[in-house]
Amino acid sequence: MNFQTLTIVDFISFGVFISAWVLYTAFADHSPWANQSLTHKMNQYRERWMQEMVSRDMRMIDTTILGNLMTGIAFFASTAMLILGGIVALLSNGTTVSQSIKHLPYAIDSSPALWEFKVLVLALIFVYAFFKFAWAFRLTNYCNIMVGSAPVKESDKSELELHAKCASKLSCRAGHHFNRGLRAFFFGSAALAWLFHPLAMLFASLVVVLVLYRREFSSTALLAMKT
């Protein structure tokens, strides 16, 4: 692609989009404030869940919960593939779609090369989301196997604790990748606004960061678990 087709506004908006995603991920997952997030709180419950699991005689309830989690992950993975199918359709009918968007108020006209670049960015985002959901699904499946292979509760305490620790790590990693996939969905919606106007993507990127921050660090769900 000839980058001369990108305007200054496109460069700035795309830079803000990438920066917002990278910086928010660093803040939410790797900063000292990460321990205050909803994800961190849920990881504590995942650890407690696996500790309770090894102390039970019957683990059918645990496998049922994991099965429900896998169903939710599979739903989002399938949705990502459906979205990718729609993105491929955008590429094949780019002229028609771009002409339709151009007639909307305040929309800008994009050259064919710039249009294809925008659509390919969208495709990469949802490919990334699919891989995250697929890996989360696989890790949850592994966690299911860990539950099935857990020692009986009469086993040595250290053996039970080690098994619970390993299972909880798998569960937490599954949750981590699932959250990354969901985050890609949010930022994918911001990238979608680029098809309309670069400033719309810039604004949408900031809105997505605010929404994600509120849900992960100041939501009523988090407050409820702190009480």
Side-chain angles (χ1 to χ4, degrees):
M1 172 188 165
N2 183 2
F3 284 97
Q4 291 180 350
T5 60
L6 287 170
T7 65
I8 295 298
V9 179
D10 283 308
F11 272 114
I12 293 173
S13 299
F14 188 61
V16 169
F17 170 77
I18 295 296
S19 299
W21 193 344
V22 171
L23 292 176
Y24 181 79
T25 298
F27 169 78
D29 296 344
H30 305 293
S31 73
W33 294 276
N35 292 339
Q36 305 299 320
S37 70
L38 181 61
T39 299
H40 178 75
K41 192 67 177 178
M42 289 308 304
N43 284 341
Q44 292 177 334
Y45 278 101
R46 287 175 185 268
E47 292 170 2
R48 181 177 174 182
W49 171 23
M50 292 304 155
Q51 291 168 0
E52 293 293 329
M53 180 272 296
V54 295
S55 66
R56 281 195 275 265
D57 285 320
M58 303 294 293
R59 279 110 185 212
M60 292 176 62
I61 184 172
D62 305 295
T63 55
T64 300
I65 294 171
L66 285 166
N68 291 336
L69 290 175
M70 291 175 70
T71 299
I73 297 169
F75 168 78
F76 281 102
S78 300
T79 302
M81 291 304 296
L82 290 174
I83 293 172
L84 282 171
I87 292 172
V88 171
L90 278 178
L91 279 175
S92 59
N93 298 281
T95 303
T96 303
V97 179
S98 61
Q99 290 299 316
S100 299
I101 292 177
K102 184 178 69 173
H103 294 299
L104 295 174
Y106 307 108
I108 64 168
D109 188 18
S110 299
S111 66
L114 180 56
W115 173 266
E116 290 177 1
F117 178 72
K118 292 177 179 180
V119 175
L120 285 174
V121 168
L122 266 178
L124 287 174
I125 291 171
F126 286 100
V127 166
Y128 169 83
F130 171 76
F131 274 100
K132 286 297 179 181
F133 289 131
W135 187 233
F137 184 89
R138 192 170 183 178
L139 288 176
T140 305
N141 187 44
Y142 291 160
C143 189
N144 216 342
I145 294 171
M146 291 289 290
V147 170
S149 63
V152 294
K153 72 173 187 177
E154 290 80 10
S155 300
D156 183 70
K157 185 178 179 180
S158 61
E159 182 183 2
L160 291 172
E161 289 177 351
L162 178 60
H163 198 90
K165 184 178 180 180
C166 293
S168 65
K169 283 183 177 180
L170 275 178
S171 180
C172 289
R173 292 308 298 173
H176 170 80
H177 289 284
F178 180 72
N179 287 337
R180 289 290 181 93
L182 283 180
R183 198 172 292 160
F185 267 41
F186 276 93
F187 280 100
S189 64
L192 184 63
W194 196 12
L195 300 180
F196 174 75
H197 197 287
L199 290 179
M201 180 175 69
L202 189 153
F203 177 74
S205 300
L206 299 178
V207 169
V208 164
V209 169
L210 289 175
V211 170
L212 288 174
Y213 174 81
R214 184 186 178 281
R215 292 187 176 180
E216 294 193 51
F217 290 91
S218 63
S219 64
T220 53
L222 178 59
L223 293 174
M225 285 191 289
K226 287 183 176 180
T227 56

